[in-house]
Amino acid sequence: MSRLATDLARALDPTVLSRAAGIEPDSWQSEVLRTDHPRVLLNCSRQSGKSTTTATKAVHVAVYEPGSLTLLMSPSQRQSSELFRKVLAVYKSLGRPVPAEGENALSLTLENGSRVISLPGSEGTVRSFSAVRLLIIDEAARVPDETYSAVRPMLAVSGGQLIALSTPWGCRGWWYEAWENGGNAWQRYRVPATDCPRISPAFLEDERRSLGPWFYEQEYECQFRAAGGQLFSEDMIAGLFSPDVDPLFT
Ligand SMILES: Nc1ncnc2c1ncn2[C@@H]1O[C@H](COP(=O)(O)OP(=O)(O)OP(=O)(O)O)[C@@H](O)[C@H]1O
Ligand SMILES: [Mg+2]
């Protein structure tokens, strides 16, 4: 195929771009790569590939929509930067199809004027952007309601797309509300671990035993579990985890 034809195929279909980057998308991943629905929720198991898929979508937007702005958000700068590293990995494995004008640990600016920026999770620092083409919120169940309220208006004028990906984390917060009560405003994808060809039943059995049902059913079965009737409240459990501390094992 000529270079022009290859480029056109990638521009028209992000799954072609994904394959060129070495990732054969699962069928749900193909749908997510192609959807232009303005509000998308990905309630997908740990390690199912939700960050990789949205990172690939970010690269597609940056390369083929000159001048576009893509923001990556999560509960902490560390987690946003992790997603940003996936963006860079896809961009590099495509051979940097549009040269970079600026590239650092937090942002990528292309010569076509497109930008991809990774943001901290705190509300004060994320207010300054407008005309956002694509907003990706990773670990969305743990992003505070106030932060979510602060970023939503950035999409208003541009008619941009919001993709919020997570595993459930209790029956509370904007992401839970959007999933349960958000109606037709949202397009929903639910991918339990048993639907992921890369996660073995033996691994899941092990995880079920060591995590216990409250964590396992949320992390791998995409089910929302309230803390009601338990010894600890949801706020207490949430308070045990800090998004700013690096995990011991990655
Ligand atoms: N379609 C695919 N083919 C091959 N490998 C894949 C595919 N999708 C994802 N992966 C790989 O699976 C691993 C997990 O992907 P990723 O980090 O995107 O998952 P995640 O759902 O965001 O996980 P977590 O919940 O832990 O953040 C990565 O090593 C990624 O490269
Ligand atoms: Mg992830």
Side-chain angles (χ1 to χ4, degrees):
M1 222 184 339
S2 75
R3 178 134 185 253
L4 184 64
T6 305
D7 208 40
L8 188 62
R10 289 182 191 176
L12 293 173
D13 185 352
T15 69
V16 176
L17 178 128
S18 179
R19 280 182 206 104
I23 305 160
E24 177 64 41
D26 300 340
S27 65
W28 71 270
Q29 292 176 334
S30 293
E31 284 181 42
V32 171
L33 286 168
R34 288 177 176 144
T35 185
D36 57 6
H37 195 286
R39 302 285 176 269
V40 182
L41 298 169
L42 308 183
N43 177 1
C44 307
S45 161
R46 295 295 313 277
Q47 291 296 295
S48 57
K50 53 195 177 303
S51 296
T52 302
T53 303
T54 49
T56 306
K57 200 167 171 88
V59 173
H60 188 266
V61 167
V63 168
Y64 292 109
E65 296 184 35
S68 61
L69 173 59
T70 295
L71 298 180
L72 313 179
M73 257 203 57
S74 75
S76 71
Q77 182 67 67
R78 180 184 63 75
Q79 287 163 313
S80 302
S81 298
E82 213 162 287
L83 182 60
F84 181 67
R85 277 195 290 278
K86 290 188 202 291
V87 169
L88 281 185
V90 172
Y91 171 68
K92 286 175 186 168
S93 46
L94 291 169
R96 299 171 186 268
V98 174
E101 202 177 84
E103 183 183 322
N104 57 45
L106 300 180
S107 71
L108 172 69
T109 305
L110 301 184
E111 280 182 1
N112 68 5
S114 291
R115 289 178 297 160
V116 181
I117 301 174
S118 91
L119 297 172
S122 55
E123 182 239 332
T125 42
V126 300
R127 282 179 179 275
S128 51
F129 295 96
S130 62
V132 177
R133 159 62 181 85
L134 174 62
L135 171 61
I136 298 173
I137 308 184
D138 202 353
E139 311 288 353
R142 290 160 168 86
V143 167
D145 288 358
E146 310 80 68
T147 309
Y148 175 63
S149 306
V151 294
R152 267 187 71 101
M154 293 177 192
L155 300 160
V157 176
S158 55
Q161 185 178 38
L162 166 61
I163 306 180
L165 44 146
S166 196
T167 50
W169 181 245
C171 298
R172 57 181 197 147
W174 67 272
W175 193 75
Y176 163 74
E177 285 300 328
W179 184 270
E180 286 294 322
N181 306 315
N184 291 335
W186 296 90
Q187 187 176 58
R188 296 171 180 76
Y189 293 88
R190 181 174 172 270
V191 182
T194 44
D195 287 358
C196 178
R198 294 169 295 281
I199 302 178
S200 74
F203 173 81
L204 289 178
E205 211 30 65
D206 220 30
E207 287 289 276
R208 185 194 289 278
R209 266 196 303 271
S210 46
L211 291 178
W214 193 84
F215 283 99
Y216 182 84
E217 288 163 12
Q218 299 197 92
E219 295 281 84
Y220 292 102
E221 292 181 342
C222 317
Q223 307 199 53
F224 292 90
R225 289 288 176 254
Q230 294 188 355
L231 211 49
F232 306 108
S233 71
E234 284 176 7
D235 284 339
M236 282 174 70
I237 295 171
L240 293 173
F241 294 84
S242 165
D244 294 312
V245 175
D246 283 333
L248 288 175
F249 305 101
T250 54

